[in-house]
Amino acid sequence: MVADSINAVECVNLGRVYSSRSALGRRRDVEALKDLNLEIPKGSVFGLLGPNGAGKTTTVRILSTLLTPTSGRARVLGYDVEAQAKQVRRNTGFILGGERGLYGRITGEQNMHFFAALNHINPRDAKRRTRQLLERVGLAENAGMAVENYSRGMKQRLHIARGLLTDPPVLFMDEPTIGIDPVGAQELRNYVPELASEGKTILLTTHYMAEADMLCDTIAIIDRGELAAVGTPGEIKRRFSRIGIVELTVNRPREELAGEILDLEAVERVESIAEGPFQKLTVSLRFGEDLTDKIVEIVGTDNIESLVSRDPTLEEAYINIIR
Amino acid sequence: MTNFFIQSYLTYRALFFWLNWPSYIGNVFLVPVLYITMLLLTGRFANSPLDSEFYVLGMAAYSTPFILIWGITQCNYYERVTGTLAHVLGSSGNRWLIFWSKGTMHFPNGLFTVTSSLLFAWAFIGLDFTNLNWVTLVVSVLLFALSCTAFSLCIGIFAIVMRSWLTLSATASGLLILLTGVVIPLEDLPFFLHYVGNVLPLTNGVTAFRAAFDGAGPMSVGDHLIWELGVGISYGVLGYLFFLFVEADARRRGAYDTSIL
Ligand SMILES: Nc1ncnc2c1ncn2[C@@H]1O[C@H](COP(=O)(O)OP(=O)(O)OP(=O)(O)O)[C@@H](O)[C@H]1O
Ligand SMILES: [Mg+2]
């Protein structure tokens, strides 16, 4: 097998069509993924972004063998998700999150023990790992409580602990921080680099741009089942937002400044606000243009308190891609 | 092996919704008593030529598939509707063990219920134990409890597919009461239905079970006992194959979380 390839996950022309029938027997097909090509290097954190219905969950389900592709193929650590599902399952953990998928009538600890037994972990190791993991996700105190009495965030934590139970080299997380309060979400985000430093490969989907920006080495944006962009967060920001931003603070405010800068070629928008005795100007310009000199000329060198050129945020880039 | 029991125990605790005192006592101990009493009275009222022992023993034996079918199908049903099925099938768990683990803890219930039914019949109806051959009794009960467990596991897979357990359990337990000879002697069934009884669990087991009370040794009813075992194994294998098929089909269709499989 190509198990020693540098990629932990490879999708080649991956496609998935869902067929459903209406009550009258009319067939309806939804093409959730179209010829998706992805490569996730071992040990990296890969973010999958896209609007609702883009096919993120579908991708995660295919990679965790819950769903078969209808075309193309996908490999995890060199194992085909369809033909070698068993090996894939042994080497991956998946965290689907949400309210479902846990046994409500038994405790968090018992849920862990059940899945440990299912995964052939011997009972002594199972106890130890359960204790460690519940501690790690902050559920140690509620380990003995029936899961139906857990809050949404507690369930989410239990999902994560379960996903880590087998200590898998590859982890798939579908919106891991959804439903968790900001402090808790921050805490959980801290695990991602921690897990990555243990050499795990992580694929996560998220709607939080800041989360993706902070955690991921590589980001792929998919839209309607197709790959729209892939690269490091920095690359995506630069390549796909067709604007650059210059922010400057002016010593002696002058109302006409905004208009004068806007007249420059390649400037798309200028915002002007008063900041105490100063005037703050935010200039959006076409990407790739460097107008610093011209702006300085208009404002006057001695009149500039500060000037920074910055990249747009990932969010600004994302919106540009999806539109 | 330990893991198999942990798995069996926790899946039972997690999914058997009758596992609280009122439901458990009601279904394992009171329902059979009611059935026995009801049939006894109906039999007397209708001036049935069969003696009351026929009904009492038939219904005592029938209490086993009753609790097994209703218990096991509900566990399979809840596994699907709570969304845990995806996690169970997404694990590297052994499918053969997953299939049987759904029945392990129900099996003893099948034994408890027939035992308590017999005790009730002895204490209140005067069931005669004087000629009883204990070996035949124990072997026949163990065998029909096993075959009924396997049968229920098989029906349980339908509960996953159909997302329903009430209708299924009612149908399956209705079939057994009609066709296994627990209340209607098989000879009285129209020709082809007689054959159906032979591929259902309990039919042969209950014949041996009744014979035990007439003092028959295990050898003299050996063919019935072996047949009962064969039926049990067949449903076990059939159910398991069906389970594998349902799993593959669900992966193909993406149906773990939708309402119609
Ligand atoms: N089981 C299913 N049967 C039919 N169609 C489905 C099924 N699951 C998903 N779809 C459809 O496939 C498409 C992709 O869905 P998917 O859940 O992968 O999106 P997503 O990117 O995870 O969206 P979200 O951000 O809302 O979670 C959607 O159009 C959805 O309606
Ligand atoms: Mg999703």
Side-chain angles (χ1 to χ4, degrees), chain A residues 16 18-20 28 30-33 50-59 61 67 174-175 205 207 222 225, chain B residues 253-258:
Chain A
R16 172 70 210 192
Y18 290 105
S19 304
S20 53
R28 211 174 65 92
V30 178
E31 198 172 7
L33 285 182
N52 293 131
K56 303 182 295 293
T57 300
T58 302
T59 310
R61 284 178 171 272
L67 190 65
D174 197 14
E175 305 190 36
T205 77
H207 284 295
I222 55 173
Chain B
R253 295 209 257 159
Y256 285 124
D257 286 307
T258 53

Side-chain angles (χ1 to χ4, degrees), chain B residues 156-228:
Chain B
I157 307 301
F158 282 94
I160 295 177
V161 177
M162 293 168 56
R163 270 203 170 206
S164 130
W165 67 283
L166 291 167
T167 325
L168 259 180
S169 303
T171 313
S173 49
L175 271 181
L176 291 196
I177 209 169
L178 273 179
L179 301 176
T180 58
V182 286
V183 273
I184 307 165
L186 282 184
E187 313 81 83
D188 294 353
L189 290 171
F191 173 75
F192 80 96
L193 289 179
H194 185 118
Y195 282 97
V196 177
N198 274 313
V199 296
L200 290 175
L202 194 62
T203 312
N204 284 276
V206 78
T207 308
F209 177 75
R210 285 193 177 112
F213 281 82
D214 294 332
M219 287 308 164
S220 63
V221 287
D223 48 343
H224 287 295
L225 293 175
I226 287 170
W227 190 264
E228 188 69 27

Side-chain angles (χ1 to χ4, degrees), chain B residues 36-52 55 183:
Chain B
I36 291 173
T37 315
M38 183 183 82
L39 270 154
L40 196 64
L41 295 178
T42 320
R44 279 188 192 152
F45 183 72
N47 288 323
S48 160
L50 297 161
D51 64 47
S52 58
Y55 296 114
V183 273

Side-chain angles (χ1 to χ4, degrees), chain A residues 16 18-19 21 61 64-68 70 81-82 85-86 89-90 94 96 100-103 105-106 110-111 113-123 159 162, chain B residues 2-3 6-7 9-11 13-19 79-84 86-95 98 163 247 250-254 256-257:
Chain A
R16 172 70 210 192
Y18 290 105
S19 304
R21 276 179 201 286
R61 284 178 171 272
S64 34
T65 77
L66 297 178
L67 190 65
T68 52
T70 44
V81 293
E82 218 177 335
K86 233 184 244 160
R89 288 181 194 131
R90 247 179 242 138
F94 61 95
L96 296 179
R100 288 155 50 79
L102 296 165
Y103 295 113
R105 286 163 53 96
I106 56 178
Q110 287 173 324
N111 268 273
H113 288 164
F114 174 80
F115 283 97
L118 196 60
N119 284 297
H120 318 286
I121 298 174
N122 81 55
H159 272 290
R162 177 179 55 192
Chain B
T2 322
N3 273 340
I6 294 175
Q7 199 181 323
Y9 170 70
L10 289 174
T11 191
R13 284 286 308 277
L15 297 170
F16 188 37
F17 278 56
W18 282 354
L19 201 60
E79 183 90 284
R80 169 113 197 257
V81 298
T82 54
T84 44
H87 294 270
V88 170
L89 296 182
S91 79
S92 60
N94 179 307
R95 297 332 196 217
I98 292 174
R163 270 203 170 206
E247 180 190 355
R251 289 176 67 207
R252 254 195 313 277
R253 295 209 257 159
Y256 285 124
D257 286 307

Side-chain angles (χ1 to χ4, degrees), chain B residues 40-86:
Chain B
L40 196 64
L41 295 178
T42 320
R44 279 188 192 152
F45 183 72
N47 288 323
S48 160
L50 297 161
D51 64 47
S52 58
E53 189 184 277
F54 182 85
Y55 296 114
V56 171
L57 291 179
M59 286 321 289
Y62 176 73
S63 66
T64 298
F66 174 83
I67 189 65
L68 287 170
I69 290 172
W70 290 76
I72 291 174
T73 50
Q74 71 172 277
C75 287
N76 279 283
Y77 165 80
Y78 286 117
E79 183 90 284
R80 169 113 197 257
V81 298
T82 54
T84 44
L85 186 64

